[in-house]
Amino acid sequence: MDAKCEIHSVSGRIADVEASHANDQKHAALAAQFQVDKADELAALRRMKRKWIIQTLLMSVFGTLLLVTCIAAIDLTVKYHEIKKIYHIMAKHGTDLIEEEVKVDVTNEVIRVSVPSQPEGYEHGETLTDYKQGYMAIKCMNRSACFVGKMHDRETLQDAKNTLQQFKDGIIASVSLKDAYMKVNPVLVHRDVVEDVAGTNIAEFCLNLPTYWLVNLKQSKDEADNQSLRKRSTGCFLCHQKCIRIVSP
């Protein structure tokens, strides 16, 4: 009987040990699962943090690019208005007062002049002066021809701009035109020669028109000689501060 009781007691203790061991394993498993869950949660938090940092950086970069683009666009707009200006000025020639439209291209150093309403005694055409090349061109609509010659003087583009700005600011009411006489060389000039000598701007200005060279003629101190030149010349082609008259050969 005592032996049997002892056996039951030993069995009970073994069962208790096994139950305790099972509980320990269960707790260890729970602890391990907790660590896994905690590690997963930390990994998820790190991923969210990285994503937030990347999104913040991207938004910052995008915002910076947008700001730079806006500033560049504003700067380009300002520069465009600075380099492409159109003036409507009154040109005084003798007793005549003629309205001119003057387009200034600062980048190419070019001034283009046209007359919206063609007064009597003035030719229907446009003139282009290339200050960088030192050449000017006259597009004569009545003759369907283009005439190219050297500038009469080496006035700079800045000089011309200063005059136009004074007009715009109301410092001067009109610009005075001086007569300048030029003679036509009747030999046709090929476009490539015009471009080589007078530059691309003038070659494109005279595109698809028969082109001829002009030779400068100095005005005489004798008014009678000047009157003779005037009688043999065309009407006035308006150039910036010049009335260009083409004398027949």
Side-chain angles (χ1 to χ4, degrees), residues 127-129 134-138 143 147-153 178-185 212-219 229-230 232-235 237 239 242-249:
T127 61
L128 183 141
T129 305
Y135 276 81
M136 51 85 63
I138 298 170
R143 300 189 188 187
F147 304 98
V148 179
K150 285 187 175 181
M151 292 171 59
H152 278 75
D153 51 49
K178 298 177 182 178
D179 283 339
Y181 293 92
M182 306 186 84
K183 185 172 68 174
V184 179
N185 182 335
Y212 304 88
W213 289 124
L214 289 174
V215 180
N216 291 334
L217 294 176
K218 290 186 177 180
Q219 280 188 270
L229 281 176
R230 187 175 285 107
R232 292 188 291 119
S233 68
T234 63
F237 289 98
C239 190
K242 291 284 189 299
C243 168
I244 307 293
R245 296 183 182 275
I246 299 176
V247 180
S248 301

Side-chain angles (χ1 to χ4, degrees), residues 2-22:
D2 290 337
K4 189 176 181 180
C5 288
E6 189 175 346
I7 290 171
H8 280 295
S9 177
V10 170
S11 297
R13 285 197 298 272
I14 291 172
D16 290 341
V17 170
E18 289 178 347
S20 176
H21 181 66

Side-chain angles (χ1 to χ4, degrees), residues 34-229:
F34 175 77
Q35 292 297 328
V36 170
D37 291 344
K38 187 175 181 181
D40 290 343
E41 185 178 353
L42 288 172
L45 288 172
R46 290 193 190 99
R47 286 194 298 272
M48 289 177 63
K49 185 178 180 180
R50 282 198 299 269
K51 185 177 179 181
W52 179 81
I53 291 172
I54 292 171
Q55 287 178 340
T56 303
L57 287 173
L58 288 175
M59 288 177 67
S60 177
V61 170
F62 178 76
T64 303
L65 288 174
L66 184 61
L67 180 61
V68 169
T69 303
C70 290
I71 293 172
I74 293 170
D75 187 50
L76 285 174
T77 302
V78 171
K79 285 182 178 178
Y80 176 80
H81 287 294
E82 286 177 351
I83 65 177
K84 299 280 187 180
K85 287 189 175 181
I86 298 178
Y87 298 86
H88 291 271
I89 70 171
M90 299 307 295
K92 189 176 182 182
H93 182 238
T95 58
D96 297 330
L97 207 57
I98 310 108
E99 182 187 357
E100 289 183 345
E101 182 178 87
V102 183
K103 297 177 181 177
V104 180
D105 183 342
V106 176
T107 301
N108 294 310
E109 296 189 30
V110 164
I111 285 185
R112 188 167 179 163
V113 179
S114 61
V115 180
S117 59
Q118 209 68 39
E120 186 178 351
Y122 295 85
E123 295 287 347
H124 178 42
E126 286 184 278
T127 61
L128 183 141
T129 305
D130 189 325
Y131 287 83
K132 189 180 293 184
Q133 296 292 130
Y135 276 81
M136 51 85 63
I138 298 170
K139 191 184 290 183
C140 180
M141 305 304 182
N142 296 338
R143 300 189 188 187
S144 297
C146 202
F147 304 98
V148 179
K150 285 187 175 181
M151 292 171 59
H152 278 75
D153 51 49
R154 292 299 294 182
E155 178 194 40
T156 66
L157 179 64
Q158 190 58 49
D159 294 333
K161 282 175 59 184
N162 290 342
T163 302
L164 293 168
Q165 192 61 46
Q166 285 179 338
F167 180 89
K168 185 178 179 182
D169 293 341
I171 298 172
I172 55 176
S174 62
V175 293
S176 296
L177 301 176
K178 298 177 182 178
D179 283 339
Y181 293 92
M182 306 186 84
K183 185 172 68 174
V184 179
N185 182 335
V187 179
L188 275 171
V189 186
H190 193 272
R191 183 188 186 279
D192 291 344
V193 177
V194 174
E195 185 168 5
D196 289 341
V197 176
T200 304
N201 292 317
I202 285 180
E204 290 180 354
F205 179 74
C206 293
L207 189 65
N208 299 326
L209 285 174
T211 304
Y212 304 88
W213 289 124
L214 289 174
V215 180
N216 291 334
L217 294 176
K218 290 186 177 180
Q219 280 188 270
S220 172
K221 293 182 179 179
D222 189 341
E223 184 57 31
D225 291 340
N226 292 333
Q227 288 292 339
S228 175
L229 281 176

